[in-house]
Amino acid sequence: MSYLYIIIGAIFVNNFILAQFLGICPFLGVSKKTDSALGMGVAVIFVMGVASIITYAVNLLLIKWNVEYIQTIAFILVIAALVQLVEIVIKRFSPGLYNALGVYLPLITTNCAVLGVALDNIKQGFTFPEMLVYSLGIPIGFTLVLYIFSTIRERLDAADTPISFKGNPIALIVAALMALAFSGFAGLV
């Protein structure tokens, strides 16, 4: 039952975008089209999942060697290497998605949500299975929110929105309303 609490909490209650405000750059930048939002979501799921596994192992080595103070630097290096791998694969197998994601794909490296998951796993003291569930729940919640937001933005682009609200102003208002709606899940877990 604790795994269910972890995944529900990661997706809805402690959503990194709407509750912890991590990963806002790709959230606002890639959410104009649902295709690019889903592509970014899949890339983030892969990077967060693999980065969490590797950083969990790296952390065990850092503890063994008594050098925990380089934890953040080691985690950033792991994340940067993984993002480069994902970028090469996407460029090779899906040039359209690669072009749609543009500058936001390399920004996964500096996406604080990826580093936040790795550090959260250590801070929460998760066991390996709990870490896996959490590390998959967070990017699933990220992708869910990114997809919902992108569908709303696509509809708003077609809607008759006042000129002063077009673009980022209405996007920020929608993001605030989504954060408010997701705060209703707070008592769920």
Side-chain angles (χ1 to χ4, degrees), residues 16 22-24 26 40 43-53 55 75-76 78-80 82-83 105-121 134-135 138-139 142:
F16 262 36
L22 297 174
I24 298 294
M40 176 61 85
V44 168
I45 288 171
F46 176 77
V47 168
M48 276 192 191
V50 174
S52 295
I53 292 168
T55 56
F75 289 1
I76 290 172
V78 167
I79 292 165
L82 283 171
V83 170
L105 185 57
L107 284 177
I108 295 175
T109 303
T110 59
N111 185 350
C112 52
V114 179
L115 180 60
V117 169
L119 293 173
D120 245 7
N121 287 329
Y134 183 74
S135 298
I138 289 294
F142 182 92

Side-chain angles (χ1 to χ4, degrees), residues 9 31 44 123 138 144 157 163 170 184:
S31 61
V44 168
K123 186 178 108 185
I138 289 294
L144 174 71
D157 284 345
I163 293 173
I170 195 70

Side-chain angles (χ1 to χ4, degrees), residues 14-27 111-113 142 175-176 178-180 183:
N14 296 317
N15 186 285
F16 262 36
I17 294 174
L18 300 176
Q20 298 186 22
F21 306 111
L22 297 174
I24 298 294
C25 182
F27 175 67
N111 185 350
C112 52
F142 182 92
M178 286 179 65
L180 185 63
S183 71

Side-chain angles (χ1 to χ4, degrees), residues 48-181:
M48 276 192 191
V50 174
S52 295
I53 292 168
I54 294 173
T55 56
Y56 192 85
V58 166
N59 188 59
L60 293 177
L61 291 174
L62 295 176
I63 290 170
K64 181 179 178 183
W65 295 333
N66 200 26
V67 288
E68 297 94 0
Y69 55 88
I70 64 168
Q71 181 183 65
T72 304
I73 295 169
F75 289 1
I76 290 172
L77 290 173
V78 167
I79 292 165
L82 283 171
V83 170
Q84 290 301 310
L85 174 69
V86 168
E87 187 173 1
I88 290 168
V89 169
I90 290 176
K91 187 176 184 180
R92 170 81 170 103
F93 294 107
S94 183
L97 178 60
Y98 179 79
N99 291 332
L101 293 176
V103 71
Y104 295 101
L105 185 57
L107 284 177
I108 295 175
T109 303
T110 59
N111 185 350
C112 52
V114 179
L115 180 60
V117 169
L119 293 173
D120 245 7
N121 287 329
I122 306 307
K123 186 178 108 185
Q124 300 284 344
F126 288 139
T127 63
F128 189 77
E130 290 171 338
M131 178 272 306
L132 285 176
V133 170
Y134 183 74
S135 298
L136 289 176
I138 289 294
I140 289 170
F142 182 92
T143 304
L144 174 71
V145 167
L146 192 61
Y147 180 74
I148 292 169
F149 190 58
S150 68
T151 59
I152 294 170
R153 285 189 77 177
E154 280 185 351
R155 287 179 159 230
L156 284 172
D157 284 345
D160 188 26
T161 309
I163 293 173
S164 59
F165 285 107
K166 282 231 181 261
N168 285 336
I170 195 70
L172 292 173
I173 291 169
V174 169
L177 291 172
M178 286 179 65
L180 185 63

Side-chain angles (χ1 to χ4, degrees), residues 4-18:
L4 183 63
Y5 289 137
I6 291 172
I7 199 157
I8 296 292
I11 293 172
F12 298 108
V13 179
N14 296 317
N15 186 285
F16 262 36
I17 294 174
L18 300 176

